[in-house]
């Protein structure tokens, strides 16, 4: 869902992103990019495109005039040649003046450079707007994809796909508009000038050189594409391993695995090193071949002109002009080679990005979806079946209700399907069959935004944004005032702890909230949910990772939050759900028991067995703690010499 304050989206529908261009062709890529280069709702950007083409044409005309001024200056210095194209005497006089022509040569080169830079400056906003828009669409689309997609991907690899795709889009937009089109215009005009000033043989020699040059560039670049892919894959693999290792910094330290992680990373970098060396070597081969082909074409045209000078058909100025034109042709030709390489590489880089954009969201709003209207807040599961993989069913026909304002707890052994229920309620996945109803409304027939607006979640593992405590609490309701944020923190019993910190609510929590303890992160999560104030609350093992003392404090905060709300509590520690209105016991995807705490204990079934095991484990922990306390007391006893001295006195 797009944030209401996101750039250029307020009040406008989000444009559809480009789908995958299949084989990754330049034409297909340009077709998808054109709406962002020529946006229908941005007249100012359209005018920038038009002015860019105007300056492009003027720059190329100035470029073509440079060899002419060079020729006329040379002929004027040698005292030969004339300007038969001019009929005016004063124009002939100007062309015959070596000083004026030399100054004109310099002036035209300056004009050419200035016009080219004007074109680039004007078009820069168009290019970067396209990059920004597509990067934004891709980012939003990634959030629209299902949890299944994100669990299958590695975060480091996915961010690299976005980063390289964004850079690839910028390369294609800028290269095609600022290099490819100008090069085609310049080469075409140069061919016309060669035919006009010389004859067809010069055009034929130049065209043959260009054809061979481009064919060689194509073949060599296609060879380099495979090398580039290997280099990108190695780069992604190394980056993923680095991020994965750094995110698990504490785990690496716990097991003394620094050397193992470094070796693993170095192995990936070794593959990247080998692929990079091959890439640079192949680039050297490509550049050398291009230089040889161009030099042969340049030499052929100059030999023809030199022969013409000896025969009296051409002047020295013509010889200088053909050299200047061919050297001038080398730059766009060299750009054509680089252009082809860069575009092909950019297409490779954005293939995966387009693949992500082309992947349809697994969870979508129905065409006739309406906002969820919560009147009481009752939640009902009707014969719900679900499987992450068809051959491995998780839920097998669950039916139960969480009455409005009541608390229903879901317990059971690991793998029974408890957490799957919260994911289905949030529509992170859709049920395979059956229905989930809120106040009688099937959640698949309401909008996802309205569904999630009405449900609050306190998860087992609270992951915070690397920002301030205030930012993380305000995430529950973005338009909340500072006073409301602080009031939510007070209800979650974390306000005092926050104010004890030097920076208070502006304290940075670190990557994934690692600067806070588990209890502090849980309190932030509770405050965030309090601020959201949803009518329906889901507590997914919210205290299972905490110590007994912290669990008691957090449980009190959760009880306050749950008052007068429909609450679905997924619990590992049974002591946290004793007061629930109903306890549902799951085992292997089915409801095996249900009732109050007392009734389930009296039945002596699975719940009673789980309760007894947990009580025995807690008793054992308390006994160990008591032994530790006695041991600490013994260690604090006075030294034996002091005891003897005291007794003697």
């Amino acid at each position: 869902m797009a944030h209401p304050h996101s750039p250029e989206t307020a009040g406008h529908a989000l444009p559809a992103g480009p789908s995958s261009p299949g084989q990754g062709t330049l034409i297909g890529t340009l077709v998808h990019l054109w709406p962002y280069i020529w946006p229908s709702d941005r007249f100012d950007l359209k005018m920038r495109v038009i002015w860019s083409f105007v300056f492009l044409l003027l720059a190329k005309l100035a470029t073509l005039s440079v060899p002419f001024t060079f020729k006329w200056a040379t002929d004027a210095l040698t005292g030969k040649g004339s300007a038969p194209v001019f009929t005016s005497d004063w124009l002939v006089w100007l062309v015959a003046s070596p000083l004026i022509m030399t100054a004109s040569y310099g002036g035209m080169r300056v004009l050419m450079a200035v016009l080219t830079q004007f074109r680039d400056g004007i078009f820069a906003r168009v290019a970067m707007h396209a990059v920004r828009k597509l990067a934004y669409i891709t980012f939003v689309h990634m959030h629209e994809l299902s949890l299944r997609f994100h669990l299958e991907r590695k975060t480091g690899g996915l961010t690299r796909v976005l980063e390289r795709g964004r850079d690839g889009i910028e390369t294609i937009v800028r290269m095609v508009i600022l290099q490819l089109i100008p090069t085609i215009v310049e080469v075409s005009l140069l061919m016309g000038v060669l035919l006009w000033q010389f004859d067809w043989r010069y055009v034929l020699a130049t065209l043959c050189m260009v054809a061979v040059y481009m064919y060689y560039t194509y073949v060599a670049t296609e060879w380099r594409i495979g090398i580039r892919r290997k280099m990108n894959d190695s780069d992604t693999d190394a980056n993923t391993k680095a991020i994965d290792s750094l995110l698990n910094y504490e785990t690496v330290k716990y097991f003394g695995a620094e050397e193992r992680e470094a070796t693993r990373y170095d192995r990936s970098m070794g593959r990247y090193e080998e692929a990079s060396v091959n890439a640079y070597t192949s680039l050297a081969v490509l550049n050398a071949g291009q230089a040889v082909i161009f030099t042969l074409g340049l030499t052929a045209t100059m030999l023809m002109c030199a022969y013409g000078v000896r025969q009296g058909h051409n002047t020295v100025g013509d010889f200088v002009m053909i050299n200047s034109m061919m050297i001038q042709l080398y730059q766009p030709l060299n750009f054509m080679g680089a252009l082809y390489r860069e575009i092909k590489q950019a297409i490779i880089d954005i293939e995966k990005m387009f693949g992500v954009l082309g992947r349809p969201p697994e969870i979508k709003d129905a065409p006739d979806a309406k906002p969820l209207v919560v009147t009481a807040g009752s939640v009902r599961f009707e014969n719900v079946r679900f499987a992450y993989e068809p051959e491995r069913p998780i839920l097998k026909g669950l039916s139960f209700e969480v009455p409005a304002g009541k608390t229903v707890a879901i317990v059971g052994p690991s793998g029974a399907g408890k957490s799957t229920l919260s994911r289905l309620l949030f529509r992170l996945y859709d049920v395979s069959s059956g229905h989930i109803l809120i106040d009688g409304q099937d959640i698949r027939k309401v909008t996802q935004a309205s569904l999630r607006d009405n449900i609050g979640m306190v998860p087992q593992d609270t992951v915070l944004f690397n920002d301030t405590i205030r930012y993380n609490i305000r995430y529950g309701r973005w338009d909340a005032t500072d006073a409301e944020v602080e009031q939510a923190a007070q209800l979650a019993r974390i306000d005092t702890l926050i104010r004890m910190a030097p920076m208070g609510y502006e304290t940075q929590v670190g990557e994934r909230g690692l600067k806070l303890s588990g209890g502090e992160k849980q309190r932030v999560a509770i405050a965030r949910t309090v601020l959201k104030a949803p009518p329906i609350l889901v507590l997914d093992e919210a205290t299972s990772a905490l110590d007994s003392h912290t669990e008691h404090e957090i449980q009190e905060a959760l009880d306050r939050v749950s008052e007068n709300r429909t609450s679905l509590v997924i619990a590992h520690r049974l002591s946290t759900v004793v007061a629930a209105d109903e306890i549902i016991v799951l085992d292997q995807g089915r409801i095996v028991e249900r009732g109050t705490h007392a009734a389930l204990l009296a039945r002596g079934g699975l719940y009673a067995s789980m309760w007894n095991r947990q009580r025995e484990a807690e008793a054992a922990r308390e006994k160990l703690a008591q032994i530790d306390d006695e041991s600490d007391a013994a260690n604090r006893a006075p030294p034996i010499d002091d005891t003897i001295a005291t007794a003697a006195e």
Side-chain angles (χ1 to χ4, degrees), residues 240-254:
T240 300
K241 283 182 170 58
I243 291 177
D244 194 34
S245 180
L246 293 174
L247 287 177
N248 290 280
Y249 171 84
E250 292 184 41
T251 304
V252 173
K253 291 295 182 183
Y254 294 152

Side-chain angles (χ1 to χ4, degrees), residues 37-224:
I37 299 172
W38 187 263
S40 58
D41 59 339
R42 292 292 300 272
F43 177 76
D44 60 320
L45 294 180
K46 289 181 179 180
M47 289 305 300
R48 283 179 175 270
V49 173
I50 293 172
W51 277 111
S52 296
F53 279 102
V54 170
F55 280 113
L56 159 65
L57 185 58
L58 293 175
K60 290 311 169 187
L61 290 175
T63 301
L64 283 175
S65 69
V66 170
F68 281 98
T69 56
F70 200 7
K71 164 187 162 56
W72 293 331
T74 303
D75 284 341
L77 287 170
T78 59
K80 297 180 181 180
S82 61
V85 293
F86 300 128
T87 57
S88 174
D89 292 339
W90 70 274
L91 286 175
V92 173
W93 176 81
L94 284 176
V95 172
S97 172
L99 294 179
I100 293 177
M101 283 300 100
T102 302
S104 299
Y105 171 79
M108 285 301 169
R109 293 194 68 88
V110 169
L111 182 62
M112 173 184 69
V114 169
L115 290 172
T116 300
Q117 295 308 314
F118 260 71
R119 178 202 66 190
D120 292 356
I122 289 174
F123 191 75
R125 183 168 295 279
V126 178
M128 296 316 299
H129 173 80
V131 171
R132 173 194 177 191
K133 199 73 173 177
L134 276 164
Y136 172 75
I137 290 171
T138 305
F139 183 80
V140 171
H141 187 74
M142 285 180 177
H143 279 284
E144 290 177 347
L145 294 175
S146 69
L147 179 62
R148 190 193 312 274
F149 170 83
H150 289 279
L151 292 177
E152 292 171 354
R153 297 295 186 104
K154 294 182 179 180
T155 304
L158 199 57
T159 56
R160 291 294 281 175
V161 167
L162 178 60
E163 179 184 347
R164 281 206 297 259
R166 184 185 61 215
D167 293 341
I169 291 168
E170 181 180 357
T171 297
I172 288 180
V173 171
R174 293 186 65 85
M175 282 286 187
V176 170
I177 304 300
L178 302 183
Q179 299 297 343
L180 179 59
I181 294 176
T183 299
I184 293 173
V185 171
E186 185 168 351
V187 171
S188 301
L189 291 175
L190 279 173
M191 291 302 105
V193 170
L194 283 175
L195 185 61
W196 172 42
Q197 286 291 307
F198 298 94
D199 59 48
W200 62 271
R201 293 173 300 165
Y202 290 83
V203 176
L204 180 61
T206 305
L207 285 177
C208 288
M209 181 271 293
V210 171
V212 174
Y213 184 99
M214 295 308 301
Y215 178 73
Y216 174 79
T217 300
Y218 168 77
V219 172
T221 304
E222 289 296 319
W223 165 54
R224 295 192 68 239

Side-chain angles (χ1 to χ4, degrees), residues 447-459:
T447 61
Q448 296 176 68
S450 64
L451 171 68
R452 292 164 189 159
D453 280 345
N454 285 284
I455 303 176
M457 163 70 85
V458 180

Side-chain angles (χ1 to χ4, degrees), residues 443-609:
I443 64 172
R444 288 175 296 182
K445 296 181 180 179
V446 301
T447 61
Q448 296 176 68
S450 64
L451 171 68
R452 292 164 189 159
D453 280 345
N454 285 284
I455 303 176
M457 163 70 85
V458 180
Q460 173 185 0
D461 182 19
T462 300
V463 179
L464 304 181
F465 291 93
N466 189 4
D467 210 298
T468 64
I469 293 177
R470 187 184 302 278
Y471 176 91
N472 278 281
I473 295 177
R474 181 174 275 132
Y475 208 79
R477 181 162 54 86
W478 197 245
D479 58 354
T481 64
D482 287 347
E484 289 173 323
V485 168
E486 293 166 13
Q487 184 181 9
Q490 290 171 5
L491 292 174
R493 294 295 191 268
I494 193 176
D495 178 72
T496 303
L497 292 173
I498 295 173
R499 295 187 185 279
M500 288 172 62
M503 298 295 292
Y505 280 85
E506 305 309 315
T507 300
Q508 295 285 330
V509 303
E511 189 83 31
R512 296 165 59 86
L514 292 178
K515 290 184 179 180
L516 304 183
S517 68
E520 289 168 343
K521 287 199 293 184
Q522 287 299 85
R523 285 183 173 92
V524 170
I526 294 169
R528 195 157 58 188
T529 303
V530 168
L531 191 63
K532 185 178 181 180
I536 300 169
L537 188 63
V538 177
L539 308 177
D540 192 351
E541 301 192 7
T543 63
S544 64
L546 305 176
D547 60 83
S548 299
H549 177 70
T550 305
E551 176 192 356
H552 179 71
E553 293 181 346
I554 297 295
Q555 192 60 48
E556 287 183 348
L558 290 174
D559 290 341
R560 285 192 297 274
V561 175
S562 302
E563 288 179 3
N564 302 319
R565 286 190 172 93
T566 304
S567 301
L568 179 65
V569 181
I570 298 166
H572 173 71
R573 291 183 180 177
L574 303 184
S575 58
T576 62
V577 298
V578 171
D581 296 296
E582 184 180 28
I583 300 172
I584 295 175
V585 185
L586 292 186
D587 189 22
Q588 297 183 1
R590 291 188 173 90
I591 297 176
V592 293
E593 295 176 355
R594 60 194 306 169
T596 62
H597 171 72
L600 291 174
L601 285 181
R603 185 176 300 174
L606 177 60
Y607 180 84
S609 174

